[in-house]
mmCIF file of all heavy atoms in Angstrom:
data_model
loop_
_atom_site.group_PDB
_atom_site.id
_atom_site.type_symbol
_atom_site.label_atom_id
_atom_site.label_comp_id
_atom_site.label_asym_id
_atom_site.label_seq_id
_atom_site.Cartn_x
_atom_site.Cartn_y
_atom_site.Cartn_z
ATOM 1 N N ASN D 467 -16.414 25.527 36.525
ATOM 2 C CA ASN D 467 -15.824 26.639 35.775
ATOM 3 C C ASN D 467 -14.325 26.469 35.548
ATOM 4 O O ASN D 467 -13.782 26.909 34.550
ATOM 5 C CB ASN D 467 -16.063 27.969 36.509
ATOM 6 C CG ASN D 467 -17.522 28.218 36.726
ATOM 7 O OD1 ASN D 467 -18.064 27.853 37.760
ATOM 8 N ND2 ASN D 467 -18.182 28.791 35.757
ATOM 9 N N GLN D 468 -13.674 25.844 36.494
ATOM 10 C CA GLN D 468 -12.218 25.722 36.412
ATOM 11 C C GLN D 468 -11.783 24.590 35.481
ATOM 12 O O GLN D 468 -10.661 24.589 35.004
ATOM 13 C CB GLN D 468 -11.611 25.468 37.797
ATOM 14 C CG GLN D 468 -11.519 26.688 38.689
ATOM 15 C CD GLN D 468 -12.856 27.096 39.252
ATOM 16 O OE1 GLN D 468 -13.769 26.284 39.367
ATOM 17 N NE2 GLN D 468 -13.006 28.363 39.575
ATOM 18 N N LEU D 469 -12.644 23.604 35.258
ATOM 19 C CA LEU D 469 -12.170 22.403 34.563
ATOM 20 C C LEU D 469 -12.625 22.305 33.108
ATOM 21 O O LEU D 469 -12.513 21.252 32.495
ATOM 22 C CB LEU D 469 -12.594 21.149 35.351
ATOM 23 C CG LEU D 469 -12.003 21.088 36.763
ATOM 24 C CD1 LEU D 469 -12.317 19.760 37.420
ATOM 25 C CD2 LEU D 469 -10.499 21.299 36.759
ATOM 26 N N ASP D 470 -13.096 23.365 32.557
ATOM 27 C CA ASP D 470 -13.355 23.415 31.121
ATOM 28 C C ASP D 470 -12.021 23.167 30.412
ATOM 29 O O ASP D 470 -10.982 23.649 30.857
ATOM 30 C CB ASP D 470 -13.902 24.808 30.778
ATOM 31 C CG ASP D 470 -14.497 24.896 29.388
ATOM 32 O OD1 ASP D 470 -13.760 24.628 28.415
ATOM 33 O OD2 ASP D 470 -15.683 25.226 29.265
ATOM 34 N N GLN D 471 -12.052 22.463 29.294
ATOM 35 C CA GLN D 471 -10.780 22.133 28.631
ATOM 36 C C GLN D 471 -10.072 23.367 28.038
ATOM 37 O O GLN D 471 -8.867 23.351 27.838
ATOM 38 C CB GLN D 471 -10.997 21.112 27.524
ATOM 39 C CG GLN D 471 -11.780 21.625 26.331
ATOM 40 C CD GLN D 471 -12.112 20.525 25.339
ATOM 41 O OE1 GLN D 471 -11.673 19.406 25.497
ATOM 42 N NE2 GLN D 471 -12.882 20.849 24.334
ATOM 43 N N ARG D 472 -10.815 24.447 27.795
ATOM 44 C CA ARG D 472 -10.208 25.577 27.086
ATOM 45 C C ARG D 472 -9.055 26.238 27.841
ATOM 46 O O ARG D 472 -8.000 26.477 27.266
ATOM 47 C CB ARG D 472 -11.280 26.595 26.688
ATOM 48 C CG ARG D 472 -12.089 26.107 25.513
ATOM 49 C CD ARG D 472 -13.293 26.951 25.228
ATOM 50 N NE ARG D 472 -14.380 26.660 26.136
ATOM 51 C CZ ARG D 472 -15.622 27.083 25.941
ATOM 52 N NH1 ARG D 472 -15.919 27.809 24.893
ATOM 53 N NH2 ARG D 472 -16.564 26.769 26.788
ATOM 54 N N PRO D 473 -9.225 26.533 29.152
ATOM 55 C CA PRO D 473 -8.090 27.125 29.856
ATOM 56 C C PRO D 473 -6.854 26.233 29.862
ATOM 57 O O PRO D 473 -5.730 26.735 29.871
ATOM 58 C CB PRO D 473 -8.610 27.312 31.284
ATOM 59 C CG PRO D 473 -10.075 27.366 31.144
ATOM 60 C CD PRO D 473 -10.423 26.506 29.983
ATOM 61 N N PHE D 474 -7.058 24.921 29.825
ATOM 62 C CA PHE D 474 -5.887 24.041 29.870
ATOM 63 C C PHE D 474 -5.045 24.160 28.607
ATOM 64 O O PHE D 474 -3.825 24.065 28.650
ATOM 65 C CB PHE D 474 -6.306 22.586 30.119
ATOM 66 C CG PHE D 474 -6.793 22.394 31.519
ATOM 67 C CD1 PHE D 474 -8.131 22.282 31.801
ATOM 68 C CD2 PHE D 474 -5.893 22.370 32.564
ATOM 69 C CE1 PHE D 474 -8.577 22.139 33.104
ATOM 70 C CE2 PHE D 474 -6.322 22.224 33.878
ATOM 71 C CZ PHE D 474 -7.667 22.110 34.143
ATOM 72 N N THR D 475 -5.707 24.378 27.466
ATOM 73 C CA THR D 475 -4.923 24.563 26.242
ATOM 74 C C THR D 475 -4.140 25.874 26.323
ATOM 75 O O THR D 475 -3.060 25.991 25.773
ATOM 76 C CB THR D 475 -5.827 24.568 24.991
ATOM 77 O OG1 THR D 475 -6.721 25.672 25.070
ATOM 78 C CG2 THR D 475 -6.635 23.303 24.862
ATOM 79 N N ALA D 476 -4.703 26.845 27.057
ATOM 80 C CA ALA D 476 -3.997 28.115 27.228
ATOM 81 C C ALA D 476 -2.832 27.962 28.206
ATOM 82 O O ALA D 476 -1.797 28.619 28.054
ATOM 83 C CB ALA D 476 -4.963 29.196 27.709
ATOM 84 N N VAL D 477 -2.996 27.101 29.182
ATOM 85 C CA VAL D 477 -1.898 26.881 30.134
ATOM 86 C C VAL D 477 -0.693 26.281 29.391
ATOM 87 O O VAL D 477 0.455 26.617 29.679
ATOM 88 C CB VAL D 477 -2.331 25.950 31.294
ATOM 89 C CG1 VAL D 477 -1.144 25.584 32.160
ATOM 90 C CG2 VAL D 477 -3.407 26.627 32.135
ATOM 91 N N GLN D 478 -0.984 25.437 28.403
ATOM 92 C CA GLN D 478 0.131 24.863 27.637
ATOM 93 C C GLN D 478 0.920 25.971 26.953
ATOM 94 O O GLN D 478 2.151 25.964 26.956
ATOM 95 C CB GLN D 478 -0.387 23.862 26.598
ATOM 96 C CG GLN D 478 0.708 23.200 25.791
ATOM 97 C CD GLN D 478 1.672 22.441 26.689
ATOM 98 O OE1 GLN D 478 1.294 21.497 27.370
ATOM 99 N NE2 GLN D 478 2.920 22.878 26.729
ATOM 100 N N LYS D 479 0.202 26.945 26.388
ATOM 101 C CA LYS D 479 0.893 28.064 25.735
ATOM 102 C C LYS D 479 1.704 28.851 26.758
ATOM 103 O O LYS D 479 2.853 29.217 26.517
ATOM 104 C CB LYS D 479 -0.137 28.970 25.057
ATOM 105 C CG LYS D 479 0.411 30.216 24.387
ATOM 106 C CD LYS D 479 1.352 29.850 23.235
ATOM 107 C CE LYS D 479 1.819 31.083 22.480
ATOM 108 N NZ LYS D 479 0.949 31.509 21.420
ATOM 109 N N ALA D 480 1.100 29.083 27.930
ATOM 110 C CA ALA D 480 1.803 29.841 28.975
ATOM 111 C C ALA D 480 3.064 29.108 29.407
ATOM 112 O O ALA D 480 4.110 29.725 29.633
ATOM 113 C CB ALA D 480 0.866 30.061 30.164
ATOM 114 N N GLU D 481 2.968 27.794 29.487
ATOM 115 C CA GLU D 481 4.147 27.010 29.875
ATOM 116 C C GLU D 481 5.226 27.120 28.787
ATOM 117 O O GLU D 481 6.406 27.316 29.084
ATOM 118 C CB GLU D 481 3.775 25.542 30.095
ATOM 119 C CG GLU D 481 4.944 24.725 30.634
ATOM 120 C CD GLU D 481 4.635 23.233 30.701
ATOM 121 O OE1 GLU D 481 3.654 22.777 30.088
ATOM 122 O OE2 GLU D 481 5.418 22.510 31.359
ATOM 123 N N ASN D 482 4.795 27.036 27.534
ATOM 124 C CA ASN D 482 5.756 27.164 26.423
ATOM 125 C C ASN D 482 6.454 28.521 26.470
ATOM 126 O O ASN D 482 7.641 28.638 26.229
ATOM 127 C CB ASN D 482 5.045 27.039 25.065
ATOM 128 C CG ASN D 482 4.485 25.649 24.833
ATOM 129 O OD1 ASN D 482 4.762 24.717 25.580
ATOM 130 N ND2 ASN D 482 3.669 25.508 23.797
ATOM 131 N N ASP D 483 5.683 29.572 26.792
ATOM 132 C CA ASP D 483 6.212 30.945 26.780
ATOM 133 C C ASP D 483 6.889 31.328 28.091
ATOM 134 O O ASP D 483 7.551 32.357 28.171
ATOM 135 C CB ASP D 483 5.078 31.954 26.522
ATOM 136 C CG ASP D 483 4.564 31.876 25.092
ATOM 137 O OD1 ASP D 483 5.117 31.093 24.313
ATOM 138 O OD2 ASP D 483 3.598 32.596 24.775
#
Side-chain angles (χ1 to χ4, degrees):
N467 302 92
Q468 283 75 24
L469 299 187
D470 193 301
Q471 68 187 355
R472 285 170 281 193
F474 289 104
T475 63
V477 172
Q478 181 59 62
K479 177 63 175 273
E481 186 187 15
N482 293 350
D483 290 357

